[in-house]
Amino acid sequence: MRNLVTGGAGFLGSHLIDKLLNVSEEVICLDNYFTGRKTNIAKWLGNKNFELIRHDVINPIQLEVDRIWHLACPASPVHYQSNPIKTSKTSFLGTYNMLGLARRVNARILFASTSEVYGDPEIHPQPEEYKGSVNPIGIRSCYDEGKRIAESLCFDYQRMHQTEIRVARIFNTYGPRMIPNDGRVVSNFIVQALTNQPITIYGDGSQTRSFCYVDDLVNGLISLMNSSEIGPMNIGNPSEFTIKELAEIILKKINSNSKIIYLPLPQDDPLQRKPIIDKAKDKLDWFPKVNLEVGLENTINYFKKVL
């Protein structure tokens, strides 16, 4: 297979590229390096099955590929809120361009959607049938609504043009190659603990998240792409932790002198987030295997090297 991975130099994309190249697939990596880093895929430079193209998916591109893994879009609030119009354009125009490419070359396309399409959910945990509770004019809407319209585009292309789509709704993911200053809770807490800075919890720490290790997540994406399922499909870890519990686990693991401080909760920050993954278990025979303790060990060791 000739694979196109958009956002391939990013956190998720680079791990996906590792998996594909390790089984001798051909890979074209597309990235504009807004949040991606060339160091993430540097080891593949010069490999006969790997090609790197600097490109922004907002602009069309002509390529011959069999499969498209469309991951391109900043995923952390710090980055997607730094230029919200750019984020909206990436979600809409980027997905539009990739769907157009998929239609032209008759490629299967997997779109990396997000649990953020559920917004601040009124139903807990969240099944794929839940339509969400999203503020369309809030500071997170560029990302939340961007992913929602991108899903709409996918299904319209499937209905109108019989484009082969796969839609994955990705829940909180962590692991090596996260950016130290990307504002996500796992990387924030680890970096703060390693440098003995205060651990910043927004709100009272009772809000919950479900953390999926990156290897499990990538295996889920591959399972969905290789299946006959269209989705949308929740891909995430249903083990639920409060933000305060996460902070305490990381502090204990690092044996840090950092103290926890509490700051105001940002606008529209979800209070609960946990996937129902019955469909993934039943249809893909997929479920996460790496528990939080093991995943955090690997992630902490990575940040020790980076810092």
Side-chain angles (χ1 to χ4, degrees):
M1 287 286 178
R2 197 154 193 247
N3 299 271
L4 171 64
V5 181
T6 72
F11 166 50
L12 284 182
S14 62
H15 283 279
L16 172 62
I17 286 173
D18 288 352
K19 294 268 188 181
L20 295 173
L21 286 171
N22 281 330
V23 293
S24 300
E25 298 267 316
E26 292 184 21
V27 174
I28 300 172
C29 171
L30 218 63
D31 209 296
N32 68 349
Y33 305 121
F34 180 58
T35 56
R37 294 181 170 185
K38 196 175 288 188
T39 53
N40 288 341
I41 39 85
K43 66 180 178 181
W44 299 114
L45 297 174
N47 185 292
K48 64 183 177 63
N49 287 338
F50 180 70
E51 184 177 351
L52 176 61
I53 302 174
R54 183 168 190 156
H55 182 81
D56 193 324
V57 292
I58 286 175
N59 303 308
I61 190 168
Q62 301 292 335
L63 296 166
E64 295 296 326
V65 294
D66 302 302
R67 290 187 169 182
I68 300 169
W69 308 75
H70 181 36
L71 276 58
C73 188
S76 71
V78 166
H79 290 122
Y80 70 64
Q81 291 175 17
S82 69
N83 191 338
I85 295 172
K86 171 79 169 176
T87 300
S88 295
K89 288 172 69 177
T90 299
S91 288
F92 180 77
L93 291 176
T95 305
Y96 173 74
N97 287 330
M98 288 302 111
L99 285 164
L101 175 62
R103 183 190 175 197
R104 284 192 298 276
V105 300
N106 197 30
R108 180 179 294 181
I109 179 170
L110 182 145
F111 171 61
S113 188
T114 172
S115 60
E116 298 294 338
V117 300
Y118 299 125
D120 188 4
E122 298 154 325
I123 293 175
H124 190 73
Q126 293 80 56
E128 289 89 349
E129 292 75 20
Y130 178 50
K131 293 181 175 62
S133 174
V134 176
N135 177 3
I137 59 171
I139 59 173
R140 300 171 70 100
S141 62
C142 58
Y143 185 70
D144 301 3
E145 295 288 24
K147 290 291 189 178
R148 285 162 71 93
I149 188 60
E151 283 196 17
S152 297
L153 276 174
C154 288
F155 280 89
D156 286 335
Y157 263 79
Q158 191 264 335
R159 284 186 285 259
M160 289 186 67
H161 305 302
Q162 291 73 57
T163 306
E164 274 199 271
I165 64 166
R166 303 290 184 267
V167 176
R169 289 181 177 163
I170 297 172
F171 281 68
N172 291 65
T173 307
Y174 71 100
R177 300 183 198 159
M178 296 182 82
I179 300 173
N181 62 346
D182 74 353
R184 297 190 222 201
V185 65
V186 172
S187 52
N188 270 6
F189 287 177
I190 291 175
V191 171
Q192 289 166 346
L194 285 173
T195 55
N196 291 310
Q197 298 176 49
I199 301 288
T200 51
I201 290 180
Y202 296 92
D204 62 6
S206 64
Q207 63 269 42
T208 66
R209 295 292 184 271
S210 303
F211 302 101
C212 188
Y213 189 63
V214 64
D215 286 356
D216 283 334
L217 192 285
V218 169
N219 288 336
L221 297 182
I222 292 171
S223 295
L224 178 58
M225 177 66 101
N226 291 338
S227 77
S228 60
E229 296 298 313
I230 293 172
M233 186 83 69
N234 286 343
I235 305 291
N237 193 321
S239 298
E240 188 178 15
F241 297 86
T242 69
I243 298 300
K244 187 176 181 182
E245 283 175 331
L246 176 69
E248 290 169 345
I249 292 170
I250 290 173
L251 282 170
K252 185 177 179 181
K253 280 191 170 295
I254 294 174
N255 193 24
S256 171
N257 294 321
S258 298
K259 304 298 182 185
I260 294 175
I261 62 171
Y262 296 88
L263 299 174
L265 193 68
Q267 179 188 349
D268 299 325
D269 195 58
L271 297 180
Q272 294 177 304
R273 188 57 58 73
K274 175 183 175 179
I276 292 177
I277 61 167
D278 292 352
K279 284 186 178 179
K281 285 181 177 178
D282 181 45
K283 304 294 185 182
L284 308 180
D285 192 28
W286 175 87
F287 55 92
K289 298 176 181 178
V290 180
N291 66 38
L292 187 65
E293 294 280 338
V294 173
L296 284 177
E297 287 282 354
N298 296 339
T299 310
I300 289 167
N301 289 336
Y302 166 78
F303 275 110
K304 283 180 179 178
K305 293 176 185 176
V306 170
L307 296 177

